[in-house]
Structures are given as C-alpha cells and as structure tokens.
Amino acid sequence: MIPLTLHPDRLFPADPATRNLARRLYDSVAALPIVSPHGHTDPAWFAQDLPFADAAALFITPDHYVFRMLYSQGIPLESLGIPRRDGGPVETDARKIWRTFAAHYHLFRGTPTRTWLDHAFATVFGFDERLTAESADRYFDRINACLAQPAFRPRALFERFNIEVLATTESPLDPLAQHRDLRASGWAGRVITAYRPDAVVDPAFEGFAANVAELGRLTGQNTATWRGYLAAHRARREYFRAMGATSTDHGHPTARTSDLDAGTCQRLLDRALAGTISDEEAEAFRGQVLTEMAGMSRDDGLVMQIHPGSVRNHNADVFARFGRDKGADIPAPTDYVGALRPLLERHGNARDLTLILFTLDETSYARELAPLAGHYPILRVGPPWWFHDSYEGMLRFFSQVIETAGFYNTVGFNDDTRAFMSIPARHDVWRRVACRFLAQAVVEHRFDEDEAFELAPELAHGLAKRAYRL
Ligand SMILES: [Zn+2]
C-alpha cells in the first residue's frame, strides 16, 4: 500500500525560521470556526439531514473540478454518471464510476483538487493509504460504510467541521422551502441564503422571459414594466433577508455597469422579454441592474458581490448534452476601471454599501482591483476565486493586492464550493498560505510579529465575518 500522509508543515516555506513562525501563526488560528459567506452547497442536505448516497455521489457527480479534468483526458461524462439532458443512458453503477475516478487519480497531481480530496480522505474518513486503482474498492467500501453512520450525516459533519455560518445561493424564483424548514427545525447550525438573481437579470439565461414572468407572479408585480420589475426585486430581497440572507451575488460575463434613464431601461426590458435584444443591449441591461442592485443594497443593507469574467458554457456540445456547470466555463480578460464607473459615480462614496469584487483575470489584481478598493469606500477585493483558489493562486493574490489595498480592504476567505467535503480543506489551505505570507513579511521586517498575530485571525475569520455583516 502507498501511504497517504498530510504533512503538518505542508504549504509552509522550507526555510526553518520562516517555517517556524508560519507554524506558530497557523497554530493560533487552526481551531477558529469556519465562516463560509459564499458557496453553493445544497440547503436540502441540512434541512433534511439524510445520509449522502455513496462515495461517487459525494465526490464525483456534483464536482465540476473533478469531472472537467477527467473529461479533458478523454473520459466520457456519461461514464461518470453525469445526467444527460435528454434522459439518455449514463453509468449508474456507483462502484464502477468510483473505479474510473480512482484509476485516473494521478491526473490531479499538482492541482488543488488533489489537496482538497486527500484532506477529506484523511481527516473525514481516516484513510492512511493513497487512492489508486488498487485501493479503489477499499476506499469505496469504507466511505459508504461511514456515510451510513449518523456521525456522517450533513448536520453532524457541519458541526464537526466547526462551521459557524454557511451561506448557500438561491435564485429569486426559489421559494426557499429548505431554508424555511431549516429555520423551523430548531437545529442550531446557521445556514443562510444569498440572493443570486442571474436567472431574471441576464437576458441570455435559459428561459429568461418565463423567469421574469414567474418573478411577477411570486411578488404580485407587473414585471413587464421597469418599475414593476424593480419592485419585484425589492420584494424578493426582503424575503431573502427574512431567510437570513446578508448578501447578493451577481455572476455576469463582465463587470459592466450602466446608469440609464427609465425610458431606455423599459425599452431594454421589452426587447429582453421579446427575445430580440442584441448582445450589446443585454450587456447594458445587466449593467443597469447592477447599479439598481447597489441602490437597493444601500436601502436594505445586503452586501453585494460581483463574480464577473466567466464565459459560461464555452463548449456548446457539452452544454447541449449535459446543461450548465459542467466544467466548460472559461475565464476571459475583465475590465473593472471603465466597467464599474457608472455604478461608482452614483454609489462609490456611500458609507452604507459594501461591494465585493472577484476576478478570474489575475492581471486585474495589481492594475485595477487593488487600486480601486484602496480608494472607493464601498469596494473590497474578494479572495482568490475558482481557478485561483489554490496555493499558488493565493500567493499571487497576496503579493499583488496587499501592497496597494492593505489587508483591511480584503474580506478573508470564501470557499465558493458545491463540494461539502472540501470546505475544511479549502479553509485550511487559505489559513496556511495566509500564515506563510505573514511569516515571510515578519522575517523580512516589513511589519512586526505582534501585528502578524493580529492579522492571522482576521484573515481566517474576522474580516469575512465583518465584511458580510454576519
Ligand atoms: Zn459562487
């Protein structure tokens, strides 16, 4: 058997003095509770607290990081049990799916997915041998045996992971039944929602016109009028707030914002609903909604997040056969300085608004995001996201952002995950890399050790909690 060991000094620098300080800083924050203010876990897990089905359903089928890599090496998504849109046949034998994954586990060497999976295998399921084709069945059997036990139900794991608060994201069309059940259940775990209105904001979203009509039905507003459309957003935001939401989230192709007159907004809405809107008009429409959302946030206090720059469903064939979120979203260059200006002209100096900016375009960190957040009171730089939520990605973030924005214009960490088992691993990587960065700064006398010991818990816990008003 090949051993699986999580080295206690992993991700720390090799130089003994820096390593020693990084370790002491890490020891001071390792046990702090997890604040997870943005992510995509399923609230039904915590509302219903049913056992996870099996190892494949837990680690493979819901995780696009896993199957995009396997797909890139020629493994058909059907063989991994990814459901087809047309209901056609896909592999349903979980053990077979697991064996395919295990036989290709070497593909993940050097990726954060490998780090997260090994962390979960070792700390959650107690494995001390590496996942290989040879150990695949032992893994599958032990994980499944664990999942049948009460200690591996979602709520028990939530408590074991020491999660203080976890946000999911839901569409305005979601009745939030799971969140309602959660709140009524008496369970002490804090799982809250976040307002993610892309389905009724993006004219290119599947079923946009029907979605906007449904928004009208839910709120009693005439959403074919610009005024009614905005009123419907206000009403749903209020409902989300009542279900614990402290934030909104906007996943747009770009960071474009607009500040248009009401007549133009009505014309754009008309065309969006009729399906005759051009790409440029759709950009203007999405951008207008961002500016409107900023105004609403000033009224209702919801913290705003923009996650731009992902070209969604880049692979038309995979989208046609399997639908969205199948690992075919690819980053594109993203402009913030010009794109955010209309919103900033209207709201940039407000004292009652927080707007957290994320990027998939790392060239924007030092050039745009850090200078913007280092000036405008409403702006904060979100942590490394998606492809950059990794050891090297975090180091690039710290080295490019902190000198201009400072630590206090950042917001700690988001795990932004659908993979529940990866949450402790992702926060652990962040804490280790943050402590590594702080230790390096101290040994180079850029600031003092007592300041590093003050910053470490801020980066692990405090900044996220305050930025998201948790
Ligand atoms: Zn997200």
Side-chain angles (χ1 to χ4, degrees):
M1 121 183 172
I2 307 169
L4 167 64
T5 37
L6 299 186
H7 196 285
D9 286 335
R10 62 193 182 279
L11 311 184
F12 291 158
D15 158 62
T18 324
R19 168 168 288 202
N20 186 274
L21 179 55
R23 190 188 299 153
R24 286 196 291 124
L25 286 163
Y26 173 75
D27 286 344
S28 77
V29 298
L32 285 176
I34 287 174
V35 172
S36 176
H38 174 79
H40 304 277
T41 53
D42 184 347
W45 296 338
F46 311 107
Q48 297 166 14
D49 203 31
L50 299 171
F52 292 106
D54 58 65
L58 184 61
F59 281 109
I60 303 170
T61 339
D63 192 343
H64 57 73
Y65 288 82
V66 168
F67 55 73
R68 79 191 304 277
M69 175 64 87
L70 299 173
Y71 186 75
S72 77
Q73 288 281 315
I75 296 159
L77 292 177
E78 288 88 344
S79 73
L80 300 168
I82 308 303
R84 268 169 46 171
R85 268 173 138 185
D86 65 2
V90 299
E91 185 56 65
T92 54
D93 182 339
R95 184 181 293 276
K96 234 170 128 184
I97 294 169
W98 185 262
R99 283 178 179 166
T100 302
F101 166 60
H104 296 88
Y105 195 51
H106 62 281
L107 297 176
F108 296 95
R109 286 174 184 156
T111 70
T113 299
R114 165 69 181 270
T115 309
W116 302 328
L117 286 167
D118 279 355
H119 188 278
F121 294 155
T123 64
V124 182
F125 296 99
F127 285 103
D128 58 7
E129 65 170 329
R130 194 190 296 162
L131 177 62
T132 61
E134 193 273 323
S135 63
D137 280 1
R138 288 193 295 282
Y139 259 77
F140 186 76
D141 292 334
R142 180 192 299 200
I143 291 170
N144 289 353
C146 285
L147 293 179
Q149 297 168 26
F152 289 81
R153 295 269 180 100
R155 289 182 181 185
L157 288 172
F158 184 100
E159 287 158 10
R160 178 169 156 196
F161 292 167
N162 196 17
I163 298 173
E164 180 177 323
V165 54
L166 176 86
T168 64
T169 40
E170 272 79 40
S171 152
L173 307 180
D174 192 309
L176 303 184
Q178 306 292 355
H179 284 276
R180 229 174 21 227
D181 291 351
L182 258 167
R183 293 171 91 74
S185 74
W187 178 52
R190 188 171 173 208
V191 177
I192 60 176
T193 184
Y195 190 70
R196 170 86 175 226
D198 302 358
V200 295
V201 168
D202 180 5
F205 204 98
E206 304 95 89
F208 173 78
N211 295 343
V212 172
E214 173 67 8
L215 179 67
R217 200 193 57 75
L218 275 170
T219 55
Q221 297 289 339
N222 178 5
T223 49
T225 70
W226 179 244
R227 182 193 284 269
Y229 174 78
L230 294 181
H233 273 292
R234 273 198 201 89
R236 289 313 280 169
R237 291 170 63 109
E238 204 41 51
Y239 181 60
F240 272 58
R241 251 164 47 83
M243 289 294 138
T246 70
S247 66
T248 71
D249 182 36
H250 308 276
H252 288 201
T254 73
R256 163 91 171 261
T257 61
S258 325
D259 197 2
L260 306 166
D261 62 78
T264 308
C265 294
Q266 182 64 55
R267 274 196 303 282
L268 291 175
L269 178 60
D270 291 344
R271 285 181 205 170
L273 293 176
T276 57
I277 197 163
S278 70
D279 289 351
E280 163 55 26
E281 288 169 330
E283 269 285 272
F285 182 81
R286 288 187 292 262
Q288 181 65 30
V289 177
L290 285 182
T291 306
E292 301 289 349
M293 290 285 143
M296 289 182 202
S297 278
R298 293 181 67 177
D299 295 333
D300 64 21
L302 292 180
V303 172
M304 188 170 172
Q305 305 168 89
I306 304 180
H307 282 91
S310 178
V311 177
R312 304 273 172 181
N313 314 316
H314 194 269
N315 186 330
D317 177 59
V318 164
F319 179 68
R321 288 188 294 130
F322 298 96
R324 56 170 47 235
D325 301 323
K326 293 299 174 285
D329 302 337
I330 309 290
T334 304
D335 161 63
Y336 295 85
V337 171
L340 289 173
R341 196 139 193 208
L343 184 152
L344 291 172
E345 300 250 295
R346 188 161 285 272
H347 302 294
N349 298 299
R351 302 298 299 273
D352 46 5
L353 174 62
T354 302
L355 170 51
I356 302 171
L357 299 172
F358 294 80
T359 195
L360 293 173
D361 178 359
E362 292 182 312
T363 67
S364 67
Y365 278 152
R367 188 186 61 232
E368 302 188 38
L369 292 181
L372 283 165
H375 170 70
Y376 282 101
I378 68 165
L379 294 182
R380 299 287 182 269
V381 188
W385 169 43
W386 203 336
F387 298 102
H388 311 303
D389 171 12
S390 63
Y391 168 74
E392 297 283 358
M394 289 171 188
L395 286 177
R396 291 191 294 268
F397 169 84
F398 282 117
S399 74
Q400 295 186 61
V401 168
I402 298 303
E403 286 184 325
T404 299
F407 288 102
Y408 296 92
N409 280 310
T410 65
V411 301
F413 187 59
N414 289 183
D415 53 71
D416 198 357
T417 190
R418 295 160 208 282
F420 185 43
M421 295 298 144
S422 76
I423 289 178
R426 290 175 195 242
H427 286 263
D428 188 63
V429 169
W430 169 258
R431 290 173 186 193
R432 285 173 181 277
V433 179
C435 290
R436 177 194 175 105
F437 180 79
L438 294 173
Q440 192 74 43
V442 170
V443 300
E444 291 166 0
H445 305 292
R446 288 188 269 150
F447 47 80
D448 292 331
E449 187 172 313
D450 67 301
E451 296 174 285
F453 274 95
E454 218 174 282
L455 283 162
E458 286 289 83
L459 287 164
H461 182 261
L463 285 168
K465 206 170 158 167
R466 285 200 305 284
Y468 284 88
R469 305 181 183 178
L470 291 164

Short mmCIF file of all heavy atoms in Angstrom, two decimals, residues 38-40 196 249 307 385 416, ligand 1:
data_model
loop_
_atom_site.label_atom_id
_atom_site.label_comp_id
_atom_site.label_asym_id
_atom_site.label_seq_id
_atom_site.Cartn_x
_atom_site.Cartn_y
_atom_site.Cartn_z
N HIS A 38 -19.91 32.60 1.19
CA HIS A 38 -20.36 32.44 -0.19
C HIS A 38 -20.06 31.02 -0.67
O HIS A 38 -18.92 30.58 -0.59
CB HIS A 38 -19.69 33.44 -1.13
CG HIS A 38 -20.04 33.20 -2.56
ND1 HIS A 38 -21.25 33.60 -3.09
CD2 HIS A 38 -19.41 32.52 -3.54
CE1 HIS A 38 -21.32 33.20 -4.35
NE2 HIS A 38 -20.21 32.53 -4.65
N GLY A 39 -21.09 30.32 -1.17
CA GLY A 39 -20.87 28.96 -1.68
C GLY A 39 -22.14 28.40 -2.29
O GLY A 39 -23.16 29.07 -2.38
N HIS A 40 -22.03 27.17 -2.72
CA HIS A 40 -23.11 26.56 -3.50
C HIS A 40 -23.48 25.18 -3.00
O HIS A 40 -23.83 24.30 -3.78
CB HIS A 40 -22.73 26.54 -4.98
CG HIS A 40 -22.38 27.88 -5.50
ND1 HIS A 40 -23.34 28.78 -5.92
CD2 HIS A 40 -21.19 28.53 -5.62
CE1 HIS A 40 -22.74 29.90 -6.30
NE2 HIS A 40 -21.45 29.78 -6.12
N ARG A 196 -29.20 35.48 -5.53
CA ARG A 196 -28.43 35.35 -6.78
C ARG A 196 -29.38 35.45 -7.96
O ARG A 196 -29.95 34.44 -8.41
CB ARG A 196 -27.70 34.01 -6.76
CG ARG A 196 -27.05 33.62 -8.08
CD ARG A 196 -25.65 34.21 -8.22
NE ARG A 196 -25.00 33.74 -9.42
CZ ARG A 196 -23.74 33.28 -9.48
NH1 ARG A 196 -23.00 33.24 -8.39
NH2 ARG A 196 -23.23 32.89 -10.61
N ASP A 249 -25.41 38.20 -4.91
CA ASP A 249 -24.29 37.75 -5.71
C ASP A 249 -24.68 37.83 -7.18
O ASP A 249 -25.80 37.46 -7.54
CB ASP A 249 -23.92 36.31 -5.34
CG ASP A 249 -22.71 35.83 -6.14
OD1 ASP A 249 -21.82 36.65 -6.40
OD2 ASP A 249 -22.68 34.64 -6.49
N HIS A 307 -19.22 38.55 -9.36
CA HIS A 307 -18.33 37.48 -9.83
C HIS A 307 -18.33 37.50 -11.36
O HIS A 307 -19.05 36.74 -12.00
CB HIS A 307 -18.83 36.11 -9.35
CG HIS A 307 -18.53 35.80 -7.91
ND1 HIS A 307 -19.39 36.11 -6.89
CD2 HIS A 307 -17.46 35.21 -7.33
CE1 HIS A 307 -18.87 35.71 -5.74
NE2 HIS A 307 -17.70 35.15 -5.97
N TRP A 385 -10.50 33.25 -6.48
CA TRP A 385 -11.77 32.57 -6.80
C TRP A 385 -11.54 31.53 -7.87
O TRP A 385 -10.78 31.75 -8.82
CB TRP A 385 -12.75 33.65 -7.24
CG TRP A 385 -14.02 33.19 -7.87
CD1 TRP A 385 -14.81 32.16 -7.45
CD2 TRP A 385 -14.67 33.77 -9.00
NE1 TRP A 385 -15.93 32.07 -8.27
CE2 TRP A 385 -15.85 33.04 -9.23
CE3 TRP A 385 -14.36 34.83 -9.86
CZ2 TRP A 385 -16.73 33.34 -10.26
CZ3 TRP A 385 -15.23 35.13 -10.88
CH2 TRP A 385 -16.41 34.40 -11.09
N ASP A 416 -16.65 29.04 -1.73
CA ASP A 416 -17.38 29.05 -3.01
C ASP A 416 -17.54 27.65 -3.61
O ASP A 416 -17.36 27.47 -4.81
CB ASP A 416 -16.67 29.98 -4.01
CG ASP A 416 -17.59 30.39 -5.16
OD1 ASP A 416 -18.75 29.92 -5.21
OD2 ASP A 416 -17.15 31.18 -6.02
ZN ZN B 1 -20.05 31.26 -6.29
#
